Amino acid sequence: MSEKNIRTLGYLLCAALLLSWTVMVLPAGVKRPTELFGEPDPLEPEPLSSKRSSGFVEQTPPPEQTPPPEEENISNPEQQNETEPTEQNDDSGGEGSGEGSGEGGEGGGSAEGPTFATNLGQYTGRSVLVEELNNDILPFYVRAGGGEGLSIRVRTDSGVLAPVSEDNYEATLSLGSNKITVLLYQDGELILDKRYTILYQEREADENNPQVGEHPPEIHTNLEDGAILSNQNYTLLVSALDGDGNYLARTGSSIITVLVDGVAATQVTGGSAQYEYALYFQRPNIGDTRAVEIVIRASDGKGSSGFIKRNITVEFPDEGQSTGTASVYIDATAIGQGILDGPYLYTIKQGIPAADAVLECLEECGYTVDYSGSIKLGFYLHRIYRAGINEGGAVPGHLWETIRRDGLTLTNSSDPDSIGEWDYTSGSGWMYTVNGSIFPGKGMSEWYLNDGDVIYLRFSLAYGKDIGGYDSTGGSYGSFASYCYRWVDGAELFQGHWLEEVERIEPTETEQGYVLRICRRCGEAEEEWLPALGTS
C-alpha cells in the first residue's frame, strides 16, 4: 500500500472515531470536544446597509437594550453636519414640545453617547404665568456629557444666549410663545439640536379677576345679567375688542369662549364683528323655569383677557305658545321707494323662527311671495309681488355712482309690480336685519325672535353694502369692502370716509395748491384747495 493511501485511511479512521464520540453517551465527568475547546466563532454579520438593500428587515433589539426615543430631536445627529440648525429643523412640533421630567432633568441624545441634560422640559406643555417669574426672567440649566470636546449653545427668539455661570442661563420671556433651542457640538460640529416652546402669559381672567393684563378685552353681548328669557331658542350675540379697538377672532391667537352651565357653546355663525351663538335650553324635569349660568371669556393672545358672567332665568312655554311680540318693516329705500309697510305687529311663538314673522307680515299686507325652502328649513325669499309696488322706482343717483365705481354688473332689469333678486344689478336681493343693526350670518329659518325685537326686510342692490349688511354675506364682490352711506328707512345716511392722501401740490406765492384724498372704503374723492401764499 502506498504512503498516500495509508494517510487517506488514517484520516477516515479518525473521522469515524470522532463521529462516534459525539453521539455516544459519555460517562460522568468526561467532556465533549466543544467543552474542551469552546464554541466555534460565529460568522461575521453582514453590514446593515447590505441587509437593507437586499430586502432584509433589521431585527429590533430586546426591550432592555432599546434606547429611549428622542421625540424632541429637531435634527438627526448622524445626518446633521451644519454648524447652525437649518430652517427645516427649527420646529419640533409646536407648543408643548420638549416636555421633560422636570427637576430630574431631560435633554437629548443617547444615554451611551454625547448628550445634554436640562430642566427646560418642566416649563413646556403648560402655560408659564407672569406671577411665577421675577421680571419675566426664566432661569434654567443645560449640561453636556457623554463624550469629549462637547460644547453647548443656547438660542432664543432674540439670538444666542450667554450663560450667567458655567451651566446656568437666564432667558427673558415675552408674552405669548417663546422658543429656546439647545444645540450640542462636538469638536465644533453640531451633532444635536432640540427646541422647547414655552407659552408665557398672564393668569386668565375669571370671576374673581374679571380683567387681567395690560389691555383686557372689552366684551359686548346682547344678554343682560338677571334677564328672564321666555323662549327655549336664543341667539346670543358676542363681540370683543382688544386694547387698540380691533375685533378679536373666536379662534387663533385670540380666543373667545362661551360656556353655558359649564358646557362650551359650539353652534356659532357670524364674524369677528359679531358672533352669533345659537343656544337651546333643555326643559327641566320638574317645573317650567330653569336658572342658567353663561360665562364669556375673551383673550387677545398677548397676555390680556376679560371675563363676564350672566345669570339668567329661562321660562319654558309649550310649542307654539306666545312668548312676546315683535315688529316687522319692509324697506325698499335702495330703489327710491322708502318704507313700503310697517310696523306690523307679530306674535312670537315658541319654536317658530323669524321666517314665519316675515311671511305673515307680507301676506297680511297683500303681497304674493316667491320663496324656497320652508319656515323651519332653508328659507330664502326670492321676490314679492303687488300691483304697482315699484312704479316710479328710481335708484338714488349717489348710490348709482357708488355701484358703478364698485364694478358691479348692471342688469337693466326691473318690474313695476314686483321687487326681487337680479333687479337693477347682479348683487340685488332681500336681506333681513334685527333691531336695525344686526345682520345675522344665518337664514330666517334659523333665527328666533325675542320679545320686543324689530325685524327689517330690506332690499339691497349691492350684496348688502348699501344697507350695512355686506359682512353677513360671507362673499367678496366688487372692488369695495363696504360703502360709506346707508340707504335705509327712507333716507341716505352718511357713515364716514376712510380718506387717504394720494396727491398734493403745495401752493406758491401766486398759485393755489391742492390735496387729493381718496376714500379707501368707497372710492370717493375729495379735493382740498390750498390758498396761494401771497407776497410777504
Side-chain angles (χ1 to χ4, degrees):
M1 182 180 293
S2 67
E3 183 179 353
K4 179 178 179 181
N5 290 336
I6 292 173
R7 284 201 306 269
T8 300
L9 180 61
Y11 292 151
L12 292 174
L13 289 174
C14 289
L17 179 60
L18 288 173
L19 179 61
S20 62
W21 193 10
T22 58
V23 297
M24 64 183 289
V25 178
L26 296 176
V30 179
K31 296 184 177 181
R32 297 181 185 273
T34 55
E35 296 176 287
L36 290 170
F37 305 107
E39 296 286 352
D41 291 335
L43 295 175
E44 184 70 22
E46 198 173 357
L48 182 60
S49 60
S50 173
K51 288 184 180 181
R52 287 176 176 166
S53 63
S54 60
F56 286 92
V57 178
E58 183 179 359
Q59 185 177 0
T60 304
E64 64 272 16
Q65 298 177 7
T66 304
E70 298 180 58
E71 295 178 356
E72 302 163 80
N73 282 1
I74 301 174
S75 61
N76 185 342
E78 297 178 358
Q79 299 175 351
Q80 178 68 287
N81 296 317
E82 291 82 4
T83 58
E84 295 293 341
T86 60
E87 183 69 24
Q88 65 191 26
N89 292 326
D90 273 354
D91 199 346
S92 59
E95 294 173 8
S97 62
E99 184 176 0
S101 56
E103 192 170 335
E106 184 192 72
S110 169
E112 299 178 357
T115 184
F116 64 85
T118 179
N119 61 340
L120 280 171
Q122 67 177 300
Y123 300 114
T124 62
R126 68 177 182 90
S127 295
V128 177
L129 301 179
V130 170
E131 61 195 56
E132 296 181 53
L133 306 183
N134 292 323
N135 300 319
D136 304 324
I137 295 176
L138 178 76
F140 62 95
Y141 68 82
V142 183
R143 289 193 287 268
E148 299 295 331
L150 301 178
S151 61
I152 289 289
R153 179 178 292 184
V154 176
R155 296 182 66 91
T156 66
D157 295 326
S158 56
V160 176
L161 192 66
V164 294
S165 61
E166 184 177 1
D167 299 318
N168 298 304
Y169 297 80
E170 291 182 350
T172 301
L173 301 186
S174 301
L175 290 174
S177 177
N178 297 261
K179 292 179 173 58
I180 300 177
T181 304
V182 178
L183 303 102
L184 178 64
Y185 294 82
Q186 186 170 38
D187 297 326
E189 180 182 351
L190 178 65
I191 60 173
L192 179 68
D193 52 2
K194 194 173 184 181
R195 168 169 289 179
Y196 300 83
T197 301
I198 299 170
L199 183 62
Y200 187 50
Q201 64 180 36
E202 300 274 3
R203 182 178 294 277
E204 276 202 334
D206 55 25
E207 187 170 4
N208 296 323
N209 297 284
Q211 292 187 320
V212 170
E214 188 175 355
H215 301 290
E218 182 181 317
I219 302 174
H220 299 275
T221 181
N222 61 331
L223 187 61
E224 297 294 331
D225 191 38
I228 300 176
L229 304 183
S230 56
N231 202 319
Q232 279 185 270
N233 305 90
Y234 184 77
T235 301
L236 177 71
L237 305 179
V238 177
S239 63
L241 300 171
D242 65 13
D244 296 324
N246 300 313
Y247 286 106
L248 295 179
R250 188 174 60 87
T251 58
S253 59
S254 60
I255 297 175
I256 298 175
T257 56
V258 173
L259 301 178
V260 180
D261 286 338
V263 179
T266 58
Q267 300 297 317
V268 191
T269 54
S272 60
Q274 186 167 260
Y275 289 109
E276 306 152 0
Y277 292 81
L279 307 183
Y280 180 80
F281 303 107
Q282 293 290 341
R283 183 184 292 271
N285 294 328
I286 300 176
D288 294 325
T289 62
R290 173 186 159 195
V292 176
E293 178 188 87
I294 296 178
V295 168
I296 305 172
R297 183 183 284 109
S299 171
D300 65 358
K302 302 175 184 177
S304 297
S305 57
F307 173 99
I308 62 173
K309 184 173 75 170
R310 299 288 187 258
N311 290 305
I312 63 172
T313 300
V314 181
E315 300 175 340
F316 294 86
D318 294 330
E319 182 78 10
Q321 183 177 339
S322 172
T323 60
T325 58
S327 301
V328 185
Y329 289 83
I330 304 172
D331 182 4
T333 302
I335 55 175
Q337 298 291 6
I339 298 291
L340 294 175
D341 284 287
Y344 172 80
L345 293 181
Y346 170 77
T347 299
I348 304 171
K349 296 174 278 292
Q350 165 61 34
I352 308 300
D356 185 66
V358 170
L359 279 181
E360 182 177 299
C361 170
L362 290 171
E363 291 171 356
E364 289 294 324
C365 292
Y367 296 93
T368 301
V369 185
D370 175 17
Y371 67 93
S372 56
S374 66
I375 288 176
K376 289 193 173 184
L377 181 64
F379 179 86
Y380 178 76
L381 181 61
H382 297 281
R383 183 171 292 273
I384 62 174
Y385 300 83
R386 191 174 67 183
I389 185 179
N390 194 26
E391 284 185 356
V395 177
H398 190 192
L399 176 54
W400 260 133
E401 294 173 9
T402 306
I403 288 173
R404 291 178 185 275
R405 284 198 309 272
D406 197 14
L408 300 185
T409 302
L410 307 183
T411 63
N412 298 315
S413 173
S414 63
D415 177 12
D417 299 320
S418 69
I419 303 172
E421 57 185 355
W422 304 106
D423 285 353
Y424 301 96
T425 76
S426 60
S428 63
W430 290 100
M431 300 180 68
Y432 79 106
T433 176
V434 180
N435 297 329
S437 60
I438 303 167
F439 281 87
K442 52 183 146 186
M444 284 185 273
S445 55
E446 299 175 83
W447 187 276
Y448 293 85
L449 297 169
N450 297 305
D451 186 32
D453 278 350
V454 179
I455 184 169
Y456 294 85
L457 185 66
R458 301 195 194 276
F459 191 69
S460 168
L461 292 176
Y463 302 99
K465 297 179 187 183
D466 50 345
I467 60 175
Y470 181 56
D471 288 343
S472 68
T473 66
S476 178
Y477 309 99
S479 302
F480 304 144
S482 184
Y483 294 169
C484 294
Y485 292 82
R486 304 284 184 267
W487 286 267
V488 297
D489 301 333
E492 178 182 282
L493 306 176
F494 180 55
Q495 306 297 303
H497 287 311
W498 293 355
L499 295 173
E500 182 179 41
E501 184 177 310
V502 297
E503 187 177 357
R504 172 184 286 266
I505 296 179
E506 298 294 344
T508 66
E509 292 183 357
T510 59
E511 299 290 336
Q512 288 182 316
Y514 77 94
V515 177
L516 177 64
R517 300 180 180 91
I518 302 293
C519 178
R520 295 165 53 193
R521 183 164 55 186
C522 74
E524 285 197 7
E526 282 191 2
E527 262 188 350
E528 178 187 359
W529 290 96
L530 306 175
L533 299 177
T535 57
S536 56

